mmCIF file of all heavy atoms in Angstrom:
data_model
loop_
_atom_site.group_PDB
_atom_site.id
_atom_site.type_symbol
_atom_site.label_atom_id
_atom_site.label_comp_id
_atom_site.label_asym_id
_atom_site.label_seq_id
_atom_site.Cartn_x
_atom_site.Cartn_y
_atom_site.Cartn_z
ATOM 1 N N HIS A 30 11.135 -1.017 -4.455
ATOM 2 C CA HIS A 30 11.885 -1.242 -5.624
ATOM 3 C C HIS A 30 11.390 -0.342 -6.739
ATOM 4 O O HIS A 30 10.649 0.579 -6.551
ATOM 5 C CB HIS A 30 11.880 -2.746 -6.046
ATOM 6 C CG HIS A 30 10.525 -3.291 -6.255
ATOM 7 N ND1 HIS A 30 9.720 -2.909 -7.332
ATOM 8 C CD2 HIS A 30 9.801 -4.183 -5.578
ATOM 9 C CE1 HIS A 30 8.614 -3.607 -7.288
ATOM 10 N NE2 HIS A 30 8.599 -4.363 -6.230
ATOM 11 N N SER A 31 11.809 -0.615 -7.941
ATOM 12 C CA SER A 31 11.543 0.282 -9.063
ATOM 13 C C SER A 31 10.001 0.536 -9.250
ATOM 14 O O SER A 31 9.225 -0.390 -9.207
ATOM 15 C CB SER A 31 12.032 -0.418 -10.364
ATOM 16 O OG SER A 31 13.424 -0.597 -10.276
ATOM 17 N N PHE A 32 9.725 1.785 -9.361
ATOM 18 C CA PHE A 32 8.310 2.115 -9.566
ATOM 19 C C PHE A 32 8.253 3.423 -10.363
ATOM 20 O O PHE A 32 9.274 4.146 -10.555
ATOM 21 C CB PHE A 32 7.510 2.207 -8.280
ATOM 22 C CG PHE A 32 8.059 3.266 -7.319
ATOM 23 C CD1 PHE A 32 7.469 4.547 -7.257
ATOM 24 C CD2 PHE A 32 9.104 2.982 -6.461
ATOM 25 C CE1 PHE A 32 7.923 5.466 -6.358
ATOM 26 C CE2 PHE A 32 9.588 3.889 -5.563
ATOM 27 C CZ PHE A 32 9.012 5.165 -5.508
ATOM 28 N N CYS A 33 7.142 3.695 -10.820
ATOM 29 C CA CYS A 33 6.871 4.946 -11.627
ATOM 30 C C CYS A 33 6.043 5.878 -10.737
ATOM 31 O O CYS A 33 5.117 5.492 -10.058
ATOM 32 C CB CYS A 33 6.088 4.603 -12.855
ATOM 33 S SG CYS A 33 5.710 6.014 -13.938
ATOM 34 N N MET A 34 6.413 7.137 -10.776
ATOM 35 C CA MET A 34 5.732 8.164 -9.985
ATOM 36 C C MET A 34 5.510 9.372 -10.879
ATOM 37 O O MET A 34 6.404 9.684 -11.680
ATOM 38 C CB MET A 34 6.541 8.486 -8.773
ATOM 39 C CG MET A 34 5.852 9.053 -7.614
ATOM 40 S SD MET A 34 6.902 9.060 -6.118
ATOM 41 C CE MET A 34 5.776 9.881 -4.973
ATOM 42 N N GLY A 35 4.432 10.011 -10.689
ATOM 43 C CA GLY A 35 4.213 11.136 -11.614
ATOM 44 C C GLY A 35 3.064 12.051 -11.181
ATOM 45 O O GLY A 35 2.409 11.913 -10.173
ATOM 46 N N TRP A 36 2.927 13.074 -12.069
ATOM 47 C CA TRP A 36 1.930 14.079 -11.843
ATOM 48 C C TRP A 36 0.889 14.072 -12.993
ATOM 49 O O TRP A 36 1.243 13.974 -14.168
ATOM 50 C CB TRP A 36 2.569 15.484 -11.827
ATOM 51 C CG TRP A 36 3.410 15.719 -10.649
ATOM 52 C CD1 TRP A 36 4.725 15.534 -10.548
ATOM 53 C CD2 TRP A 36 2.938 16.112 -9.334
ATOM 54 N NE1 TRP A 36 5.157 15.791 -9.259
ATOM 55 C CE2 TRP A 36 4.097 16.176 -8.507
ATOM 56 C CE3 TRP A 36 1.729 16.438 -8.837
ATOM 57 C CZ2 TRP A 36 4.022 16.520 -7.170
ATOM 58 C CZ3 TRP A 36 1.647 16.834 -7.491
ATOM 59 C CH2 TRP A 36 2.791 16.863 -6.650
ATOM 60 N N PHE A 37 -0.368 14.128 -12.603
ATOM 61 C CA PHE A 37 -1.452 14.180 -13.536
ATOM 62 C C PHE A 37 -2.342 15.383 -13.192
ATOM 63 O O PHE A 37 -2.279 15.931 -12.112
ATOM 64 C CB PHE A 37 -2.271 12.886 -13.364
ATOM 65 C CG PHE A 37 -1.529 11.621 -13.718
ATOM 66 C CD1 PHE A 37 -0.552 11.156 -12.826
ATOM 67 C CD2 PHE A 37 -1.693 10.949 -14.928
ATOM 68 C CE1 PHE A 37 0.196 9.995 -13.147
ATOM 69 C CE2 PHE A 37 -0.965 9.856 -15.225
ATOM 70 C CZ PHE A 37 -0.031 9.350 -14.384
ATOM 71 N N ARG A 38 -3.125 15.764 -14.190
ATOM 72 C CA ARG A 38 -3.999 16.895 -13.934
ATOM 73 C C ARG A 38 -5.365 16.658 -14.587
ATOM 74 O O ARG A 38 -5.424 15.918 -15.579
ATOM 75 C CB ARG A 38 -3.401 18.245 -14.395
ATOM 76 C CG ARG A 38 -3.232 18.384 -15.902
ATOM 77 C CD ARG A 38 -2.493 19.642 -16.220
ATOM 78 N NE ARG A 38 -2.319 19.807 -17.690
ATOM 79 C CZ ARG A 38 -1.613 20.752 -18.225
ATOM 80 N NH1 ARG A 38 -0.961 21.632 -17.430
ATOM 81 N NH2 ARG A 38 -1.506 20.885 -19.507
ATOM 82 N N GLN A 39 -6.351 17.303 -14.043
ATOM 83 C CA GLN A 39 -7.672 17.173 -14.600
ATOM 84 C C GLN A 39 -8.358 18.544 -14.509
ATOM 85 O O GLN A 39 -8.616 19.034 -13.379
ATOM 86 C CB GLN A 39 -8.496 16.134 -13.828
ATOM 87 C CG GLN A 39 -9.849 15.837 -14.492
ATOM 88 C CD GLN A 39 -10.496 14.580 -13.953
ATOM 89 O OE1 GLN A 39 -10.103 14.029 -12.942
ATOM 90 N NE2 GLN A 39 -11.441 14.060 -14.721
ATOM 91 N N ALA A 40 -8.570 19.126 -15.673
ATOM 92 C CA ALA A 40 -9.287 20.402 -15.701
ATOM 93 C C ALA A 40 -10.789 20.096 -15.723
ATOM 94 O O ALA A 40 -11.250 19.024 -16.061
ATOM 95 C CB ALA A 40 -8.876 21.117 -16.983
ATOM 96 N N SER A 41 -11.546 21.136 -15.360
ATOM 97 C CA SER A 41 -12.994 21.011 -15.342
ATOM 98 C C SER A 41 -13.577 20.567 -16.646
ATOM 99 O O SER A 41 -13.250 21.202 -17.710
ATOM 100 C CB SER A 41 -13.603 22.322 -14.885
ATOM 101 O OG SER A 41 -14.989 22.254 -14.818
ATOM 102 N N GLY A 42 -14.288 19.472 -16.637
ATOM 103 C CA GLY A 42 -14.917 19.012 -17.868
ATOM 104 C C GLY A 42 -14.011 18.214 -18.773
ATOM 105 O O GLY A 42 -14.412 17.839 -19.910
ATOM 106 N N LYS A 43 -12.801 17.939 -18.373
ATOM 107 C CA LYS A 43 -11.858 17.223 -19.195
ATOM 108 C C LYS A 43 -11.376 15.946 -18.504
ATOM 109 O O LYS A 43 -11.529 15.799 -17.279
ATOM 110 C CB LYS A 43 -10.669 18.103 -19.546
ATOM 111 C CG LYS A 43 -11.002 19.343 -20.372
ATOM 112 C CD LYS A 43 -9.769 20.073 -20.878
ATOM 113 C CE LYS A 43 -10.119 21.226 -21.749
ATOM 114 N NZ LYS A 43 -8.866 21.949 -22.221
ATOM 115 N N GLU A 44 -10.803 15.079 -19.350
ATOM 116 C CA GLU A 44 -10.228 13.844 -18.740
ATOM 117 C C GLU A 44 -8.873 14.106 -18.031
ATOM 118 O O GLU A 44 -8.216 15.057 -18.401
ATOM 119 C CB GLU A 44 -10.084 12.867 -19.850
ATOM 120 C CG GLU A 44 -11.361 12.370 -20.483
ATOM 121 C CD GLU A 44 -11.168 11.226 -21.484
ATOM 122 O OE1 GLU A 44 -9.968 10.907 -21.780
ATOM 123 O OE2 GLU A 44 -12.166 10.630 -21.976
ATOM 124 N N ARG A 45 -8.651 13.255 -17.132
ATOM 125 C CA ARG A 45 -7.334 13.304 -16.471
ATOM 126 C C ARG A 45 -6.221 12.978 -17.455
ATOM 127 O O ARG A 45 -6.376 12.067 -18.243
ATOM 128 C CB ARG A 45 -7.298 12.380 -15.284
ATOM 129 C CG ARG A 45 -6.157 12.593 -14.349
ATOM 130 C CD ARG A 45 -6.301 11.780 -13.066
ATOM 131 N NE ARG A 45 -7.440 12.245 -12.331
ATOM 132 C CZ ARG A 45 -7.784 11.787 -11.054
ATOM 133 N NH1 ARG A 45 -6.898 10.913 -10.450
ATOM 134 N NH2 ARG A 45 -8.867 12.174 -10.463
ATOM 135 N N GLU A 46 -5.119 13.735 -17.387
ATOM 136 C CA GLU A 46 -4.033 13.493 -18.325
ATOM 137 C C GLU A 46 -2.700 13.462 -17.526
ATOM 138 O O GLU A 46 -2.536 14.091 -16.487
ATOM 139 C CB GLU A 46 -3.935 14.622 -19.373
ATOM 140 C CG GLU A 46 -3.647 15.984 -18.774
ATOM 141 C CD GLU A 46 -3.367 17.041 -19.864
ATOM 142 O OE1 GLU A 46 -3.000 16.651 -21.000
ATOM 143 O OE2 GLU A 46 -3.400 18.266 -19.555
ATOM 144 N N GLY A 47 -1.786 12.709 -18.080
ATOM 145 C CA GLY A 47 -0.419 12.616 -17.493
ATOM 146 C C GLY A 47 0.439 13.780 -17.863
ATOM 147 O O GLY A 47 0.613 14.022 -19.060
ATOM 148 N N VAL A 48 0.939 14.475 -16.901
ATOM 149 C CA VAL A 48 1.725 15.660 -17.160
ATOM 150 C C VAL A 48 3.233 15.341 -17.209
ATOM 151 O O VAL A 48 3.912 15.737 -18.139
ATOM 152 C CB VAL A 48 1.497 16.732 -16.041
ATOM 153 C CG1 VAL A 48 2.390 17.943 -16.232
ATOM 154 C CG2 VAL A 48 0.016 17.173 -16.081
ATOM 155 N N ALA A 49 3.707 14.667 -16.218
ATOM 156 C CA ALA A 49 5.112 14.324 -16.055
ATOM 157 C C ALA A 49 5.247 13.107 -15.163
ATOM 158 O O ALA A 49 4.637 13.025 -14.089
ATOM 159 C CB ALA A 49 5.893 15.472 -15.506
ATOM 160 N N VAL A 50 6.068 12.198 -15.561
ATOM 161 C CA VAL A 50 6.348 10.979 -14.774
ATOM 162 C C VAL A 50 7.853 10.795 -14.689
ATOM 163 O O VAL A 50 8.614 11.249 -15.538
ATOM 164 C CB VAL A 50 5.659 9.727 -15.340
ATOM 165 C CG1 VAL A 50 4.159 9.908 -15.299
ATOM 166 C CG2 VAL A 50 6.141 9.468 -16.753
ATOM 167 N N ILE A 51 8.258 10.034 -13.687
ATOM 168 C CA ILE A 51 9.621 9.633 -13.504
ATOM 169 C C ILE A 51 9.690 8.158 -13.133
ATOM 170 O O ILE A 51 8.923 7.716 -12.305
ATOM 171 C CB ILE A 51 10.354 10.587 -12.457
ATOM 172 C CG1 ILE A 51 11.783 10.261 -12.359
ATOM 173 C CG2 ILE A 51 9.640 10.414 -11.113
ATOM 174 C CD1 ILE A 51 12.585 11.305 -11.572
ATOM 175 N N TYR A 52 10.600 7.482 -13.813
ATOM 176 C CA TYR A 52 10.801 6.014 -13.437
ATOM 177 C C TYR A 52 11.971 6.013 -12.467
ATOM 178 O O TYR A 52 13.104 6.385 -12.778
ATOM 179 C CB TYR A 52 11.084 5.231 -14.687
ATOM 180 C CG TYR A 52 11.103 3.773 -14.430
ATOM 181 C CD1 TYR A 52 9.935 3.093 -14.151
ATOM 182 C CD2 TYR A 52 12.280 3.031 -14.529
ATOM 183 C CE1 TYR A 52 9.892 1.781 -13.908
ATOM 184 C CE2 TYR A 52 12.244 1.660 -14.316
ATOM 185 C CZ TYR A 52 11.049 1.006 -13.992
ATOM 186 O OH TYR A 52 11.061 -0.332 -13.755
ATOM 187 N N THR A 53 11.676 5.569 -11.254
ATOM 188 C CA THR A 53 12.664 5.749 -10.186
ATOM 189 C C THR A 53 13.943 5.019 -10.337
ATOM 190 O O THR A 53 14.974 5.454 -9.880
ATOM 191 C CB THR A 53 12.019 5.385 -8.819
ATOM 192 O OG1 THR A 53 11.701 3.977 -8.870
ATOM 193 C CG2 THR A 53 10.805 6.194 -8.535
ATOM 194 N N ASP A 54 13.902 3.827 -11.044
ATOM 195 C CA ASP A 54 15.079 3.042 -11.164
ATOM 196 C C ASP A 54 16.175 3.772 -11.968
ATOM 197 O O ASP A 54 17.314 3.690 -11.636
ATOM 198 C CB ASP A 54 14.734 1.752 -11.864
ATOM 199 C CG ASP A 54 15.771 0.673 -11.647
ATOM 200 O OD1 ASP A 54 16.425 0.743 -10.551
ATOM 201 O OD2 ASP A 54 15.957 -0.144 -12.509
ATOM 202 N N THR A 55 15.768 4.508 -13.001
ATOM 203 C CA THR A 55 16.728 5.190 -13.877
ATOM 204 C C THR A 55 16.714 6.670 -13.751
ATOM 205 O O THR A 55 17.590 7.369 -14.216
ATOM 206 C CB THR A 55 16.432 4.786 -15.337
ATOM 207 O OG1 THR A 55 15.097 5.253 -15.687
ATOM 208 C CG2 THR A 55 16.530 3.289 -15.539
ATOM 209 N N GLY A 56 15.642 7.220 -13.155
ATOM 210 C CA GLY A 56 15.518 8.661 -13.103
ATOM 211 C C GLY A 56 15.015 9.254 -14.417
ATOM 212 O O GLY A 56 14.958 10.521 -14.563
ATOM 213 N N THR A 57 14.631 8.414 -15.358
ATOM 214 C CA THR A 57 14.132 8.933 -16.630
ATOM 215 C C THR A 57 12.808 9.570 -16.476
ATOM 216 O O THR A 57 11.975 9.116 -15.766
ATOM 217 C CB THR A 57 14.036 7.751 -17.615
ATOM 218 O OG1 THR A 57 15.271 7.061 -17.684
ATOM 219 C CG2 THR A 57 13.688 8.257 -19.022
ATOM 220 N N THR A 58 12.657 10.708 -17.114
ATOM 221 C CA THR A 58 11.416 11.467 -17.054
ATOM 222 C C THR A 58 10.711 11.598 -18.413
ATOM 223 O O THR A 58 11.384 11.535 -19.431
ATOM 224 C CB THR A 58 11.686 12.882 -16.522
ATOM 225 O OG1 THR A 58 12.645 13.551 -17.399
ATOM 226 C CG2 THR A 58 12.243 12.838 -15.071
ATOM 227 N N TYR A 59 9.423 11.689 -18.362
ATOM 228 C CA TYR A 59 8.646 11.883 -19.530
ATOM 229 C C TYR A 59 7.621 12.929 -19.336
ATOM 230 O O TYR A 59 7.004 13.006 -18.250
ATOM 231 C CB TYR A 59 7.943 10.566 -19.886
ATOM 232 C CG TYR A 59 8.859 9.280 -20.003
ATOM 233 C CD1 TYR A 59 9.013 8.489 -18.918
ATOM 234 C CD2 TYR A 59 9.586 9.110 -21.165
ATOM 235 C CE1 TYR A 59 9.857 7.359 -19.041
ATOM 236 C CE2 TYR A 59 10.449 8.064 -21.229
ATOM 237 C CZ TYR A 59 10.590 7.206 -20.198
ATOM 238 O OH TYR A 59 11.439 6.106 -20.257
ATOM 239 N N PHE A 60 7.401 13.753 -20.327
ATOM 240 C CA PHE A 60 6.492 14.901 -20.186
ATOM 241 C C PHE A 60 5.499 14.924 -21.315
ATOM 242 O O PHE A 60 5.682 14.534 -22.413
ATOM 243 C CB PHE A 60 7.306 16.187 -20.220
ATOM 244 C CG PHE A 60 8.275 16.367 -19.105
ATOM 245 C CD1 PHE A 60 9.569 15.934 -19.176
ATOM 246 C CD2 PHE A 60 7.850 16.979 -17.937
ATOM 247 C CE1 PHE A 60 10.470 16.050 -18.157
ATOM 248 C CE2 PHE A 60 8.709 17.141 -16.844
ATOM 249 C CZ PHE A 60 10.054 16.657 -16.942
#
Side-chain angles (χ1 to χ4, degrees):
H30 59 69
S31 301
F32 60 98
C33 181
M34 203 167 177
W36 292 96
F37 296 75
R38 67 186 181 187
Q39 188 165 17
S41 180
K43 296 188 177 181
E44 293 187 354
R45 192 170 297 188
E46 63 170 343
V48 174
V50 296
I51 184 167
Y52 191 66
T53 62
D54 198 32
T55 61
T57 306
T58 57
Y59 306 99
F60 295 90

